[in-house]
Amino acid sequence: MTSEANISTESTTGADAIDVAIAKGIDFDGTPIPPVKLDLYHQVMGLEAGRQRSGVSNTMRSRIVRIGAKHIPETELNQLLIDAGFQGLKEKEILFYYGSKS
């Protein structure tokens, strides 16, 4: 079985699915990811890997907001954040993630 055939039978769900596909250099449809795109991705991820972090809680909150906004209505996500002890949604986050949905 070729790597293109393998990728079509593998899961395309979950947080790791993208990383697996990038590591293989093959998109979910079985097409190769162009080297120039992979090179740019690795260059930018290398820069990010060297960035000082502000803390685990801040990163957790950022991920919750970024991903949660795709799946959870604004008022519900805001309340979930507050209930968990995080800061509620900031105005700039509401505008960025929910502005076009209002």
Side-chain angles (χ1 to χ4, degrees):
M1 198 179 253
T2 66
S3 59
E4 286 89 9
N6 287 337
I7 199 80
S8 65
T9 61
E10 293 177 11
S11 175
T12 57
T13 60
D16 295 336
I18 297 293
D19 293 331
V20 169
I22 291 168
K24 292 180 178 182
I26 301 173
D27 207 330
F28 291 147
D29 64 1
T31 59
I33 300 169
V36 67
K37 288 183 179 181
L38 287 170
D39 290 345
L40 177 58
Y41 176 82
H42 290 299
Q43 176 186 353
V44 172
M45 292 303 106
L47 294 169
E48 181 66 7
R51 184 174 65 86
Q52 180 63 45
R53 303 296 180 202
S54 58
V56 175
S57 287
N58 288 339
T59 300
M60 287 173 57
R61 184 191 175 281
S62 293
R63 290 178 181 176
I64 291 167
V65 171
R66 179 174 39 90
I67 296 167
K70 297 175 188 175
H71 306 283
I72 304 170
E74 174 190 333
T75 54
E76 185 179 348
L77 180 57
N78 187 59
Q79 191 59 54
L80 289 168
L81 286 165
I82 293 168
D83 291 348
F86 290 110
Q87 177 184 8
L89 290 169
K90 301 172 189 174
E91 187 63 30
K92 67 180 184 176
E93 293 168 333
I94 294 168
L95 290 171
F96 183 80
Y97 292 110
Y98 294 101
S100 63
K101 298 177 187 178
S102 300

